[in-house]
Amino acid sequence: MNLFDLSGKVAVVTGSTKGIGRAMAEAMAEHGAKVVITSRKADLCEEVANGIKAAGGEAIAVPCNVSHKDQMENLLAVTRETWGQIDILILNAAVNPFYGSALDIPDDAFDKTMDVNIKCNLAFCRNVIPEMQARKDGAIMIVSSIGGLRGSTVLGAYCISKAADMQIVRNLAAEFGKDNIRVNCIAPGLVKTNFARALYEDPEIAKIRADATPMRRLGEPEDLAGIAVYLASKAGSWTTGQVFCIDGGVTTTGEG
Ligand code: NAP
């Protein structure tokens, strides 16, 4: 028996056309899961799903802006119509509309951050948990950030939302562990994606960040794939309510 086998499992990964979500979705497909590729751009969803199919995996493309409830409901309904159920839910899509002092963030940027990064995640969980309870099986992951563990002078609201995600998984793990539903957070350090471009595209800043990282490099999206497969599979069957920092060791030091 392969502890990491996901054959027969259906996985929905929000924001899976790029970056971390895409790497996770592709890894799940490689381990046998049927994956739903979803983000706001339909053409990119198709492209990524087609790439998975060309590599021998199973995937469908369903566009969805996670902040639109009707689109969320459509995404989950189409998944169920196609494959009957949802075994693995990875809530990866998030926003960060403001960079700067806590004194300057406009109300609408604050609200948007809380809406997308917290409320939408809970809405997805509320939709999917009942079917997982009925089957007594399910794995949910929220992609948080090590920013949720630290104070920030420039990403304050984002970090509040990412800390809230850590509490959501503890709450849901506590309530639904009896139903064999595992709920965990994955907290990446600085990963080279479009989302974090401003934080690493200046080579000097990138070098400072890498030097302050015990493993002496920034993350690649693929560095986050293994933890998602672990948590989705039998290997992670007694792991719940936890926050996994996948950060090259940054949070073990006071630097970085
Ligand atoms: P990315 O490469 O920019 O990918 C983000 C993905 O989410 C894309 O597929 C994007 O596609 C989709 N997306 C964005 N807004 C969406 C929305 N409203 N509805 C649906 N899909 C949406 O970013 P990433 O770095 O992989 O970020 C993924 C997660 O990792 C986020 O939760 C982020 O907070 C977290 N994280 C990242 C880092 C880092 O250093 N990169 C560090 C810590 C945590 P469309 O734009 O086409 O919709």
Side-chain angles (χ1 to χ4, degrees):
M1 187 185 59
N2 180 344
L3 274 177
F4 299 95
D5 183 22
L6 296 176
S7 301
K9 301 286 183 190
V10 176
V12 174
V13 185
T14 67
S16 43
T17 52
K18 295 176 202 157
I20 293 168
R22 178 176 179 167
M24 288 177 171
E26 289 175 343
M28 302 259 185
E30 280 165 22
H31 284 75
K34 301 168 186 170
V35 296
V36 182
I37 301 299
T38 178
S39 78
R40 290 168 297 184
K41 299 193 184 85
D43 53 342
L44 267 186
C45 294
E46 285 294 342
E47 196 181 305
V48 175
N50 286 339
I52 288 172
K53 287 188 274 188
E58 285 186 82
I60 56 169
V62 187
C64 164
N65 182 332
V66 295
S67 65
H68 293 219
K69 194 164 182 248
D70 56 334
Q71 293 185 29
M72 173 198 81
E73 284 167 351
N74 178 65
L75 164 66
L76 300 174
V78 171
T79 304
R80 291 181 179 115
E81 276 158 29
T82 310
W83 285 323
Q85 63 192 59
I86 296 157
D87 303 287
I88 301 158
L89 174 65
I90 304 188
L91 299 166
N92 166 72
V95 296
N96 175 34
F98 181 78
Y99 186 88
S101 166
L103 304 183
D104 297 333
I105 184 166
D107 283 350
D108 59 348
F110 187 89
D111 290 347
K112 185 176 179 192
T113 308
M114 301 306 147
D115 256 20
V116 177
N117 298 1
I118 304 175
K119 214 165 142 192
C120 291
N121 286 346
L122 264 179
F124 267 90
C125 293
R126 275 203 297 270
N127 186 302
V128 169
I129 284 174
E131 67 159 276
M132 292 180 168
Q133 280 185 293
R135 282 195 308 277
K136 293 272 181 266
D137 190 30
I140 299 175
M141 289 154 235
I142 301 182
V143 179
S144 172
S145 167
I146 61 167
L149 295 167
R150 305 165 136 194
S152 171
T153 55
V154 285
L155 294 171
Y158 171 79
C159 292
I160 292 171
S161 73
K162 293 298 185 176
D165 286 331
M166 296 176 187
Q167 187 59 29
I168 289 174
V169 307
R170 285 188 286 265
N171 292 348
L172 297 181
E175 187 170 355
F176 301 108
K178 65 181 183 334
D179 299 312
N180 193 32
I181 301 173
R182 288 89 62 203
V183 193
N184 291 283
C185 258
I186 297 169
L190 183 52
V191 182
K192 289 200 244 165
T193 69
N194 214 30
F195 188 84
R197 191 167 292 283
L199 300 177
Y200 72 82
E201 67 185 352
D202 177 334
E204 263 178 54
I205 296 176
K207 184 173 183 320
I208 292 168
R209 297 291 298 250
D211 287 349
T213 303
M215 295 195 74
R216 298 292 188 275
R217 67 174 177 86
L218 303 185
E220 302 290 342
E222 293 69 26
D223 290 319
L224 277 297
I227 187 70
V229 172
Y230 163 77
L231 288 171
S233 66
K234 195 168 169 47
S237 59
W238 204 45
T239 303
T240 197
Q242 305 302 317
V243 175
F244 291 86
C245 293
I246 308 295
D247 64 355
V250 165
T251 42
T252 61
T253 75
E255 303 156 23

